[in-house]
Amino acid sequence: MRKRLRFLIPAILLLLWLWQGSTMLKILDPARSANRDLEEAETELRKLNPEADAFLATVQDARDRTALGASLRAAEREYGKDSALRSYAEGFDREGGPAYFRLLRLAADVGMAPSETDREAILYAHGTTLQHLMLEESGRSADDYLTQLEVAAGDPALWSIVRDDPVALLLWPSLKDDEALWQFYRDEREWLGEVLAAAAPAPASGEVEVKPGVFFAELVGTAQRFHPMVKQAVVEDGFGMVALPLFDAYGEVLRETSRLGVPVSEALEIVFANQDQFATVDTRTAAAMADRLVHLKKNKPFVWEAARHEPLVLRLDAAVPNLSEKLLKKFAGNDVAGFLFTSYEDAIAPAATALDRFGDLGFYILNRYQDDPRAHALLLDPEIGARAVPFLARFQDEGFEKLDDSKKWLDRYFDAEGKAKDQGWIEAVPIAGAPVNVIGHWLKGEPVSWGELGWAAVDVADGVLLVASFGASAPVTAAKQTAKTGGRALVKATVREGARGAATKSMAKAATRAVARDSMLKAFVRRGGLWAVELAGGAKAMLKVGRVTVGKVGATVRDAARRLGSTWASTPARFRKWAYRGMLGVGLYVTLKERTIPGLPAAAEAMGAFAGQFARSAAEAAGAFLASALREMLGISSSPMARAVYLGTSVVLALLAAWMFFFYKPARLKRIA
């Protein structure tokens, strides 16, 4: 029995080795295993999509085989093992073939990415942009982007910059003809890239449309021309992307005021809240505008302070220069300019005089009758003017009938300055609808919150919209209904509705405190989503600063990108930086290409939605699974020793089995037994 076992054991071992030895070889030689898996995947891809055959025929050299294997592994991580090949096969129907393969081919090239850090930079930065662009179903966006990247890879100097910077890649075609401009962007891209990524051109009606590439080149030129003031405003003062459009439109004024000793930050705040007063700026007018600002800072401190926090203050000062300082001192924080220009634009001087003479009571009457054309007519009548206010306070609606009958009624009760001839009338005739304490406070000369009287400080978005409506160009860019439904009248209705709503909700004091704490510009930057405004009646508009608005996708993706610092807290900082740049590239790409790639605008909303999901979890990042897959493929190497061990073991077991067979062949075993 023991002799039989001596024969059977080597024979069994040989059979087991022949059956499972290849598995051992895979363990000892992973390159052989990976190549066999890749061949099996290629066979399956050809079955799933006939278009795969022509593409796979070109994938021959080691770099391309590595990229193919890595892209298939990445697809398995992204779509799951069961769906990976089917999803990958669909990529052959898109222009340019599987997008991730093309990106991985660049990253797998030692010349393009000599180190693992270089490979990670390419895959996290451009993989992030690509992951969003692939939501455009035709594949044109991804193909166009990768074509630009592949062209850049052929220029070593350019590649050293764009390798980890999608924004630089996209700006290069617009900046390449000006070496100084390109060099400036290279030097300042850490802050300038973010500013540009969310911007979009907003040409006013009637202007020649500027191509997006030219638009961005001009913005970089603005940043260069007014450097380092722009950088200081963006980075140190915290004005973000709003600062560059302000310099683009009013840079000469800002430079001149700075030369005259006015802090750039304050000048920016003034200009932002009063853009209507700086509609046309050139080197000739800039000096005069700067002189005006310097004069206001030195001589009208209440106008200066209000102009930083409230809209249309400089317009009010231009309209009633003798009253502006007094009104803004008396009604600080109540947005008196906004009220007058939304309610009495046609009668600013008499309405302002009424506020000056009659204070809060004057406001109450003006506010009560702002929509009544009879009140406007009385204010504009040179024989009545501001005296209409105390007369309407005394007789209310009946006052219109009396004055329509004869203006002598006015002289009977009030003198030429509007002072009552009968000093006791106000105590005997309460104003219908007015809060009880209004009269008492007015008689004592005590201030009354305008919020109690139906007007709160204008919201910052409404303020920007209001200022723009008084400028030389249209205030909005994304609402064609605006011009059709009343232009400035619609804007004023929107502002009044917002102010009244805030007052109704008892928010007036809170709004006033907010205005006092933040300038209008700081509030706008702090509440970064205020570029989009809903007008009265449901029309929607995109605000603009100068000729710049914010792209919808650019703003959405940028805001999501800013959350990476907290949501990706456990991810290394370099990965966060590269992914951040990749997300900025998404918004810039959409702005540059949305008019030339038909499917891009429709896909933009999906990109914005995905950006939020992407920012919430690092696990969603293409860069992570692409880098991991490529690292695995590059770590696989063939092992000659493994093959030698496999062959040697096979030969030894075969010889041993043969020797046992011939020495202990069955017939002999039987005789021995």
Side-chain angles (χ1 to χ4, degrees), residues 10 13-14 17-18 21-22 24-25 28 639-657:
L13 288 175
L14 178 61
W17 180 253
L18 293 175
S22 59
M24 182 65 68
L25 180 60
L28 297 175
S639 174
M641 181 62 69
R643 186 175 295 276
V645 169
Y646 174 77
L647 292 175
T649 302
S650 299
V651 170
V652 169
L653 288 175
L655 291 175
L656 182 60

Side-chain angles (χ1 to χ4, degrees), residues 71-105:
S71 60
L72 285 167
R73 291 184 180 218
E76 186 172 316
R77 286 175 171 82
E78 186 173 17
Y79 301 112
K81 189 171 184 178
D82 295 336
S83 304
L85 284 177
R86 188 173 302 279
S87 298
Y88 196 91
E90 293 174 357
F92 297 115
D93 295 327
R94 297 184 173 187
E95 293 193 27
Y100 287 152
F101 166 79
R102 295 171 65 183
L103 182 62
L104 283 160
R105 184 167 54 183

Side-chain angles (χ1 to χ4, degrees), residues 60 110 117 128 254 264 381 388 500 540 558 573 579 604:
Q60 298 297 328
V110 176
T117 299
T128 296
L254 294 166
V264 173
D381 189 323
R500 289 169 177 170
K540 292 192 175 180
R558 180 202 61 191

Side-chain angles (χ1 to χ4, degrees), residues 4 28 46 58 90 110 144 150 159 166 168 214 216 222 234-235 241 269 303 339 380 436 462 487 489 502 612 633 662:
R4 288 179 181 276
L28 297 175
R46 288 185 172 94
T58 66
E90 293 174 357
V110 176
D144 174 71
E150 288 162 347
W159 180 251
V214 175
F216 284 109
T222 294
V234 171
V235 180
M241 72 159 292
E269 292 170 330
V303 170
F339 169 73
L380 291 169
V436 174
D462 287 345
M633 288 299 298
F662 287 107

Side-chain angles (χ1 to χ4, degrees), residues 322-323 326-327 330-331 350-360 362-363 366:
N322 59 320
L323 294 177
K326 291 194 293 182
L327 289 176
K330 185 183 296 184
F331 303 114
T353 300
L355 285 177
D356 178 47
R357 289 182 185 174
F358 309 113
D360 295 318
F363 166 76
L366 290 174

Side-chain angles (χ1 to χ4, degrees), residues 143 203 205 207 238 282 330 475 532 580 582:
D143 176 55
S205 57
E207 292 183 8
D282 55 33
K330 185 183 296 184
Y580 179 73

